[in-house]
Short mmCIF file of all heavy atoms in Angstrom, two decimals:
data_model
loop_
_atom_site.label_atom_id
_atom_site.label_comp_id
_atom_site.label_asym_id
_atom_site.label_seq_id
_atom_site.Cartn_x
_atom_site.Cartn_y
_atom_site.Cartn_z
N ILE G 1171 51.80 -1.88 -10.79
CA ILE G 1171 51.28 -3.20 -10.51
C ILE G 1171 50.45 -3.74 -11.53
O ILE G 1171 50.51 -4.97 -11.88
CB ILE G 1171 50.52 -3.18 -9.03
CG1 ILE G 1171 51.55 -2.80 -7.94
CG2 ILE G 1171 50.02 -4.53 -8.74
CD1 ILE G 1171 50.94 -2.54 -6.60
N TYR G 1172 49.63 -2.82 -12.11
CA TYR G 1172 48.72 -3.22 -13.21
C TYR G 1172 49.48 -3.82 -14.35
O TYR G 1172 49.20 -4.70 -14.91
CB TYR G 1172 47.87 -2.06 -13.71
CG TYR G 1172 47.29 -2.32 -15.01
CD1 TYR G 1172 46.31 -3.16 -15.25
CD2 TYR G 1172 47.84 -1.64 -16.19
CE1 TYR G 1172 45.82 -3.50 -16.52
CE2 TYR G 1172 47.32 -1.92 -17.49
CZ TYR G 1172 46.31 -2.82 -17.66
OH TYR G 1172 45.85 -3.13 -18.93
N LYS G 1173 50.68 -3.07 -14.68
CA LYS G 1173 51.53 -3.53 -15.80
C LYS G 1173 52.05 -4.96 -15.52
O LYS G 1173 52.28 -5.70 -16.41
CB LYS G 1173 52.66 -2.53 -16.03
CG LYS G 1173 52.25 -1.20 -16.67
CD LYS G 1173 53.36 -0.18 -16.69
CE LYS G 1173 52.86 1.13 -17.33
NZ LYS G 1173 53.99 2.11 -17.35
N MET G 1174 52.37 -5.20 -14.29
CA MET G 1174 52.88 -6.49 -13.83
C MET G 1174 51.71 -7.61 -14.12
O MET G 1174 51.97 -8.65 -14.68
CB MET G 1174 53.27 -6.61 -12.40
CG MET G 1174 54.47 -5.62 -11.95
SD MET G 1174 54.78 -5.75 -10.20
CE MET G 1174 55.28 -7.46 -9.88
N VAL G 1175 50.53 -7.24 -13.75
CA VAL G 1175 49.40 -8.16 -13.95
C VAL G 1175 49.08 -8.33 -15.44
O VAL G 1175 49.07 -9.40 -15.89
CB VAL G 1175 48.17 -7.58 -13.32
CG1 VAL G 1175 46.95 -8.39 -13.58
CG2 VAL G 1175 48.31 -7.57 -11.73
N GLU G 1176 49.11 -7.26 -16.24
CA GLU G 1176 48.94 -7.29 -17.65
C GLU G 1176 49.91 -8.19 -18.41
O GLU G 1176 49.60 -9.06 -19.26
CB GLU G 1176 49.07 -5.86 -18.19
CG GLU G 1176 48.93 -5.81 -19.68
CD GLU G 1176 49.16 -4.38 -20.21
OE1 GLU G 1176 50.11 -3.75 -19.75
OE2 GLU G 1176 48.48 -3.91 -21.19
N LYS G 1177 51.10 -8.10 -17.87
CA LYS G 1177 52.32 -8.92 -18.55
C LYS G 1177 52.12 -10.46 -18.19
O LYS G 1177 52.23 -11.31 -19.15
CB LYS G 1177 53.69 -8.41 -17.99
CG LYS G 1177 54.77 -9.17 -18.49
CD LYS G 1177 56.15 -8.65 -17.97
CE LYS G 1177 57.30 -9.49 -18.48
NZ LYS G 1177 58.56 -8.95 -17.91
N LYS G 1178 51.77 -10.59 -16.99
CA LYS G 1178 51.65 -12.21 -16.57
C LYS G 1178 50.49 -12.75 -17.13
O LYS G 1178 50.45 -13.96 -17.48
CB LYS G 1178 51.59 -12.11 -15.02
CG LYS G 1178 52.97 -11.85 -14.37
CD LYS G 1178 52.96 -11.92 -12.91
CE LYS G 1178 54.26 -11.47 -12.28
NZ LYS G 1178 55.42 -12.22 -12.88
N VAL G 1179 49.42 -11.93 -17.36
CA VAL G 1179 48.21 -12.54 -18.02
C VAL G 1179 48.54 -12.93 -19.46
O VAL G 1179 48.10 -13.93 -19.97
CB VAL G 1179 47.00 -11.53 -17.98
CG1 VAL G 1179 45.80 -12.01 -18.87
CG2 VAL G 1179 46.51 -11.38 -16.53
N ALA G 1180 49.28 -11.90 -20.15
CA ALA G 1180 49.57 -12.17 -21.50
C ALA G 1180 50.47 -13.44 -21.59
O ALA G 1180 50.30 -14.26 -22.51
CB ALA G 1180 50.40 -10.98 -22.11
N GLU G 1181 51.44 -13.60 -20.65
CA GLU G 1181 52.32 -14.76 -20.76
C GLU G 1181 51.45 -16.06 -20.47
O GLU G 1181 51.78 -17.11 -21.14
CB GLU G 1181 53.49 -14.68 -19.72
CG GLU G 1181 54.40 -13.51 -20.07
CD GLU G 1181 55.39 -13.27 -18.91
OE1 GLU G 1181 55.09 -13.55 -17.73
OE2 GLU G 1181 56.39 -12.54 -19.13
N GLY G 1182 50.51 -15.99 -19.55
CA GLY G 1182 49.68 -17.16 -19.37
C GLY G 1182 48.81 -17.48 -20.53
O GLY G 1182 48.67 -18.75 -20.72
N LEU G 1183 48.28 -16.54 -21.16
CA LEU G 1183 47.39 -16.77 -22.36
C LEU G 1183 48.28 -17.45 -23.46
O LEU G 1183 47.74 -18.34 -24.24
CB LEU G 1183 46.81 -15.49 -22.85
CG LEU G 1183 45.77 -14.84 -21.89
CD1 LEU G 1183 45.35 -13.49 -22.31
CD2 LEU G 1183 44.56 -15.80 -21.77
N ILE G 1184 49.37 -16.86 -23.67
CA ILE G 1184 50.41 -17.47 -24.62
C ILE G 1184 50.70 -18.98 -24.45
O ILE G 1184 50.60 -19.86 -25.30
CB ILE G 1184 51.71 -16.62 -24.85
CG1 ILE G 1184 51.34 -15.20 -25.41
CG2 ILE G 1184 52.73 -17.36 -25.67
CD1 ILE G 1184 52.52 -14.32 -25.29
N GLU G 1185 50.98 -19.21 -23.19
CA GLU G 1185 51.35 -20.67 -22.68
C GLU G 1185 50.10 -21.51 -22.91
O GLU G 1185 50.23 -22.67 -23.33
CB GLU G 1185 51.77 -20.68 -21.33
CG GLU G 1185 52.24 -22.04 -20.77
CD GLU G 1185 52.68 -22.07 -19.36
OE1 GLU G 1185 52.32 -21.18 -18.64
OE2 GLU G 1185 53.27 -23.08 -18.96
#
Side-chain angles (χ1 to χ4, degrees):
I1171 297 170
Y1172 163 73
K1173 291 178 180 178
M1174 294 175 67
V1175 172
E1176 178 188 37
K1177 178 180 178 180
K1178 292 179 185 299
V1179 170
E1181 292 171 343
L1183 293 173
I1184 291 172
E1185 183 184 17

